Amino acid sequence: MGCRDVHAATVLAFLSGTASVAGLFAAVLLPNWRLMRLHTFNKNEKNLTVYTGLWIKCARFDGSRDCVIYDTEWYTAVDQLDLRVLQFALPCSMLTAVSALLLCLIGMCNTAFVSNVPNIKLAKCLVNSPGCHLVAGLLFLLACAICLTPSIWVIFYNNYLNKKYEPVFTFDISVYITIASAGGLFFTSVLLFLWYCACKTLPSPFWQPLYSHASSMHSYASQPYSARSRLSAIEIDIPVVTHAS
């Protein structure tokens, strides 16, 4: 694996993370988290479907694309606990994933444009690729947990609503999109962890998550004067002074 160059694993991880964030963004905006089907036995009327999202609610008659009721202030009056939790969880997950993407991008740029032998005097201030990718992998894993847990809860809460009221509730496509995006975040973190585990065996101290102390970089620095100027007693000419009789 070309650890000292931008590797396909890190590029694929960045693309996968970007696609996952885009999926989360779409799931947040779509009003398709829960459907409520209201059936009527009147032949002169049509069945009504209520589409419930995190921020808006839309009610449509069967066969129509226009919303009979379009509530843009639904987010302020959400009365379903799982959707209320998702209103906070998904933006937090997106923010965490975006932070991980920025770290991943910094790590790739650092790999591509920074010298393999950094300045020893600035070693404590520099950012290295392994540290960026390792933290990014942890953030992707955290973002996955934040969005996946309440999304699965929607499925169980939907069964609870059907038992409490009537079996008219079903979860919609946003649940699937969020679970798929969570899987993409998990796949991204696994790729970054595999990249780090394959590269951490390099002998250079610069492939550790944090740069070592400057004294541990002696392999790149010149030897001190005292180490070079040690001479044995045989190599030293000691002048001998004799007294004339």
Side-chain angles (χ1 to χ4, degrees), residues 177-192:
I177 294 176
T178 306
I179 294 176
S181 300
L185 294 174
F186 181 77
F187 175 71
T188 304
S189 65
V190 169
L191 277 179
L192 293 176

Side-chain angles (χ1 to χ4, degrees), residues 24-42:
L24 288 178
F25 185 74
V28 167
L29 296 181
L30 287 175
N32 298 97
W33 278 93
R34 177 167 288 127
L35 298 182
M36 183 171 61
R37 296 275 299 174
L38 301 178
H39 299 274
T40 178
F41 297 100
N42 190 343

Side-chain angles (χ1 to χ4, degrees), residues 155-227:
I155 300 174
F156 292 99
Y157 197 83
N158 196 76
N159 296 331
Y160 166 76
L161 291 177
N162 286 329
K163 292 179 180 179
K164 185 177 181 180
Y165 301 103
E166 293 183 5
V168 296
F169 297 95
T170 57
F171 52 88
D172 204 5
I173 190 172
S174 293
V175 178
Y176 298 105
I177 294 176
T178 306
I179 294 176
S181 300
L185 294 174
F186 181 77
F187 175 71
T188 304
S189 65
V190 169
L191 277 179
L192 293 176
F193 290 150
L194 288 177
W195 179 88
Y196 174 75
C197 291
C199 293
K200 73 175 183 178
T201 57
L202 291 180
S204 173
F206 302 112
W207 291 101
Q208 300 301 320
L210 297 175
Y211 283 123
S212 303
H213 191 268
S215 60
S216 65
M217 302 179 188
H218 59 275
S219 58
Y220 296 100
S222 60
Q223 296 293 331
Y225 177 78
S226 59

